[in-house]
Amino acid sequence: MSISRRNLFSVLCAIGVSCLSHVAFAQNTQPIKAVTDATFPPMEFVENNKYTGFDIELVEAIGQQLKRPIEWTNVDFKGLIPSLTSKRADIAVSGIYITPERAQVVNFANSYLAGGLVAMVKDNNTTIKTLDDLKGKRISVQIGTKSVQWLRDNIPSAQLVEVEKNQQMFNLVDIGRVDAAVTGKPAAFQYARTKGGVKILPNQLTTEEYGIAVRKDLPDVSKDINEALAQLKANGTYDKLVKKWFPTTAQ
């Protein structure tokens, strides 16, 4: 089948535009605007006036793969998703679980780490040994996290004490103002390992997947993050970060 000169020109133009568009995006050197709540060690926290943690180093490595700098902004956890929907940021990374509700308003890159919710109590607590023992107890949770809704749905008799920051949640356990705290597995194990005086109940409440949230109108960013993450896993960078930040079974 022959192609007319005019049709051939149209086809070539279409291919050229597509290629130029891809090249233009691939050569995008603009910063990726990222928001995080840097109060969740070992995932993200501030040390010596610098952001650090597993999430931070992973996203910085992704930025290096894409040859795009990461521009960080620290916001409260409850403001992470609104920062994307209002287009004040491009991505959010802060130990965010991938959920159907969140996926309605943001995209998620591929999961980069398995986690889940756990309950933490003082190490001398003898009344809370299983998840059933949380019924009717005072439990500290961070506002905007999955812990809040999970407890409301599954242990409605629990008395929730909602706080803004992860550290406040743990402090309430330390001083005996609450009976337990429910939070993400990495942060709970990190606190127990470094601060002491607390223990994690043996059974997890949930099994979850962490993901990088991306604005709905930036599908190419999700695609590029997935490709960069695959490269980091292939070249060993990802495994090094996991061993650095999760040296024990705290994954």
Side-chain angles (χ1 to χ4, degrees):
M1 179 178 67
S2 62
I3 301 177
S4 70
R5 184 173 299 177
R6 177 177 295 178
N7 288 341
L8 179 59
F9 179 76
S10 298
V11 171
L12 291 175
C13 284
I15 293 173
V17 169
S18 175
C19 291
L20 285 173
S21 176
H22 179 75
V23 170
F25 182 79
Q27 293 179 347
N28 185 356
T29 58
Q30 292 297 311
I32 296 176
K33 296 179 180 179
V35 287
T36 189
D37 180 4
T39 62
F40 193 58
M43 304 299 276
E44 45 271 317
F45 57 103
V46 176
E47 186 174 70
N48 299 323
N49 295 318
K50 292 181 62 178
Y51 295 118
T52 189
F54 177 78
D55 281 347
I56 304 298
E57 291 197 4
L58 178 63
V59 172
E60 288 288 349
I62 288 172
Q64 290 175 10
Q65 287 291 132
L66 300 178
K67 296 181 171 57
R68 297 185 64 180
I70 307 299
E71 187 177 284
W72 293 100
T73 300
N74 196 20
V75 302
D76 288 340
F77 192 90
K78 63 183 180 183
L80 295 175
I81 301 300
S83 294
L84 301 187
T85 57
S86 64
K87 299 184 180 181
R88 295 193 302 271
D90 304 322
I91 67 173
V93 55
S94 196
I96 302 173
Y97 290 139
I98 300 172
T99 67
E101 295 78 16
R102 289 171 178 159
Q104 289 179 5
V105 293
V106 298
N107 290 332
F108 278 99
N110 293 340
S111 172
Y112 62 88
L113 190 71
L117 299 179
V118 296
M120 185 182 78
V121 300
K122 295 189 75 168
D123 58 6
N124 60 359
N125 188 309
T126 59
T127 61
I128 301 178
K129 299 177 181 179
T130 68
L131 299 182
D132 280 342
D133 296 330
L134 294 174
K135 294 177 180 178
K137 299 298 193 296
R138 288 174 58 82
I139 303 174
S140 57
V141 290
Q142 187 179 14
I143 294 173
T145 63
K146 187 168 183 179
S147 304
V148 178
Q149 194 59 50
W150 190 91
L151 286 166
R152 286 175 178 166
D153 291 341
N154 295 274
I155 310 181
S157 64
Q159 304 171 52
L160 302 189
V161 179
E162 299 185 46
V163 297
E164 291 282 350
K165 298 297 182 182
N166 215 49
Q167 186 60 47
Q168 294 173 301
M169 183 173 52
F170 295 148
N171 289 344
L172 291 178
V173 176
D174 285 335
I175 64 177
R177 289 282 299 278
V178 297
D179 303 297
V182 169
T183 187
K185 183 178 177 181
F189 273 89
Q190 172 79 358
Y191 188 85
R193 185 172 65 245
T194 59
K195 301 295 184 180
V198 296
K199 61 185 177 183
I200 313 301
L201 296 190
N203 294 323
Q204 289 187 204
L205 283 69
T206 67
T207 298
E208 311 285 348
E209 296 290 336
Y210 290 113
I212 297 173
V214 184
R215 277 169 40 187
K216 280 282 189 184
D217 62 332
L218 298 176
D220 285 337
V221 173
S222 299
K223 177 176 176 293
D224 281 5
I225 288 174
N226 288 338
E227 292 177 354
L229 184 58
Q231 291 169 348
L232 294 175
K233 289 183 176 181
N235 65 25
T237 300
Y238 175 85
D239 285 341
K240 289 180 181 177
L241 290 177
V242 170
K243 290 176 182 177
K244 174 181 178 179
W245 290 105
F246 307 108
T248 65
T249 57
Q251 285 186 65

